[in-house]
Amino acid sequence: MKKKKALITGITGQDGSYLSELLLSKGYEVFGMIPRRSTPETQTLRVEHISHKLVLEYGDVLDLASIYRIMNVVKPDEVYHLAAQSHVQVSFYEPIHTTTVDALGTLNMLEATTEFVPKAKFYNAASSEMFGNTPDYPITEDSKMIPCSPYGAAKLYAYHITQVYRVSKKLFAVNGILFNHESPRRGLNFVTAKVVKGALDIKYGNKKELQLGDLDSSRDWGHAKDYVYAMWLMLQNNTPKDYIVATGIETTVRRLCEYTFSKLKLGDYKKYVKVVDKYCRPYELNHLKGNPAKIKKELGWKPQYSFEDLIDEMISEIKKRFYPDK
């Protein structure tokens, strides 16, 4: 039986690495598109352990010629578009770059898929940030979208243009509206990894305090492993549909700190955590909680990891990476 081919943009990111492992376990040929950088060895660390099983092609979502070349060579059965400038705070500092990559990059991928592999199934990584401070709670697929960051606004364009191609070009194109999902592979500039690494630094004497933004900001946090499985399920569906992927449980940054510092036997987090203005967003998104009822009912998906499971794993793995002898 001929193996399915999958093309992943953003393959070296957190989600791309877990998705690669999942697809390989299911017998896929996995191709990844990576931008050329001056230090390529640093950008492939998350997939280094499986690099011998992957085919990595140089290309950029803003370079249509490179996308066309890769599409024409690979002829994928499934396209997973994960590449993005994905840090919300950074999007306020780099709004043009964020919008160009996240919005125009998605359009380029849709156009290339339509041109070269119109029968392929296309997954777009949408985001809960599109909803912003929506009055709906918990959030469903029908909730009002009021993004409150350049990132959220760019993702909203990508979401809508994916729907446009689904209808106008008859492309099997779906949006996975993923709420916050973390793992030990998360970048250290994201708050879960920042809190875990910061608490470990304090425990082992490398730092005395951890600087954060709004501690009462809350998110619906899940594990990236669960969420990439949801991506795959969406492309196995007979009909292209958009789905929210979330746990349905909301947790504050304060609770994240309480749990992490307690787990590391550091006592009261308040002795170490300092709130500073530079880590507070200009336009704060206060609450995010998703309702995953649709994907649970229609595709049978449900999260396997709890919030506590997730943080426990992050503590264990980040400790091994930075403090292996402790």
Side-chain angles (χ1 to χ4, degrees):
M1 188 175 180
K2 185 181 177 182
K3 284 188 174 184
K4 278 188 178 181
K5 293 180 180 180
L7 174 65
I8 305 172
T9 70
I11 193 170
T12 59
Q14 169 190 257
D15 292 4
S17 64
Y18 283 118
L19 179 60
S20 296
E21 291 173 347
L22 174 66
L23 295 177
L24 287 170
S25 74
K26 293 185 177 297
Y28 282 67
E29 287 185 68
V30 180
F31 297 78
M33 190 168 77
I34 59 172
R36 185 176 292 277
R37 296 288 184 264
S38 57
T39 53
E41 66 278 1
T42 63
Q43 66 172 332
T44 57
L45 289 176
R46 292 188 184 96
V47 293
E48 188 174 33
H49 63 296
I50 53 171
S51 59
H52 60 290
K53 299 179 181 179
L54 306 173
V55 180
L56 301 179
E57 298 279 354
Y58 283 115
D60 194 292
V61 295
L62 298 182
D63 180 4
L64 200 52
S66 69
I67 303 171
Y68 276 14
R69 175 184 58 79
I70 293 169
M71 285 288 188
N72 192 39
V73 169
V74 176
K75 295 288 198 309
D77 300 291
E78 296 174 2
V79 177
Y80 295 87
H81 176 47
L82 312 183
Q85 191 300 100
S86 58
H87 197 285
V88 177
Q89 184 79 12
V90 170
S91 77
F92 285 101
Y93 306 137
E94 299 181 357
I96 295 173
H97 172 71
T98 300
T99 302
T100 304
V101 172
D102 295 6
L104 184 57
T106 303
L107 176 59
N108 285 343
M109 290 302 300
L110 285 163
E111 187 63 26
T113 302
T114 304
E115 181 71 21
F116 289 96
V117 281
K119 299 296 184 183
K121 294 183 174 183
F122 184 95
Y123 172 88
N124 175 53
S127 170
S128 58
E129 291 282 336
M130 301 184 304
F131 294 104
N133 287 314
T134 181
D136 300 328
Y137 187 88
I139 297 167
T140 71
E141 288 82 358
D142 298 321
S143 294
K144 190 173 184 180
M145 296 180 178
I146 317 170
C148 52
S149 68
Y151 171 76
K155 281 292 186 179
L156 184 56
Y157 172 86
Y159 168 81
H160 282 308
I161 199 64
T162 298
Q163 292 180 327
V164 167
Y165 271 68
R166 182 164 71 213
V167 176
S168 66
K169 306 287 188 178
K170 309 302 180 188
L171 192 67
F172 190 110
V174 305
N175 288 294
I177 310 170
L178 273 56
F179 279 62
N180 295 66
H181 49 290
E182 317 295 319
S183 77
R185 299 177 190 176
R186 189 50 134 167
L188 295 177
N189 56 341
F190 288 85
V191 69
T192 46
K194 182 178 179 180
V195 168
V196 170
K197 173 64 163 50
L200 285 166
D201 287 340
I202 290 169
K203 181 176 179 67
Y204 296 118
N206 284 341
K207 284 185 181 177
K208 293 184 178 180
E209 71 174 22
L210 173 62
Q211 296 184 350
L212 296 171
D214 183 6
L215 299 184
D216 293 315
S217 179
S218 64
R219 295 294 183 267
D220 184 331
W221 275 306
H223 198 297
K225 283 184 181 179
D226 287 335
Y227 287 36
V228 299
Y229 180 61
M231 297 176 189
W232 178 77
L233 280 177
M234 287 180 216
L235 293 196
Q236 310 319 303
N237 202 7
N238 292 325
T239 307
K241 294 183 182 181
D242 303 329
Y243 291 95
I244 276 178
V245 184
T247 68
I249 300 170
E250 191 175 17
T251 306
T252 63
V253 176
R254 189 181 303 280
R255 169 62 181 148
L256 167 64
C257 292
E258 288 174 348
Y259 183 82
T260 304
F261 279 80
S262 174
K263 192 74 178 181
L264 289 172
K265 296 180 170 50
L266 286 166
D268 190 349
Y269 77 94
K270 295 175 185 175
K271 295 188 295 183
Y272 310 104
V273 174
K274 180 180 179 182
V275 174
V276 295
D277 289 341
K278 73 175 182 177
Y279 293 119
C280 296
R281 297 181 188 175
Y283 185 0
E284 184 58 71
L285 195 167
N286 298 312
H287 302 282
L288 273 178
K289 178 180 177 180
N291 180 352
K294 181 181 175 183
I295 192 170
K296 285 184 175 181
K297 180 181 178 181
E298 296 186 6
L299 301 185
W301 177 87
K302 63 179 181 179
Q304 302 299 311
Y305 285 79
S306 69
F307 171 77
E308 290 77 15
D309 292 336
L310 166 66
I311 301 305
D312 289 350
E313 186 184 54
M314 292 182 72
I315 290 171
S316 176
E317 293 301 316
I318 292 175
K319 179 177 177 292
K320 287 178 186 175
R321 193 190 325 166
F322 291 97
Y323 298 99
D325 300 324
K326 299 294 185 179

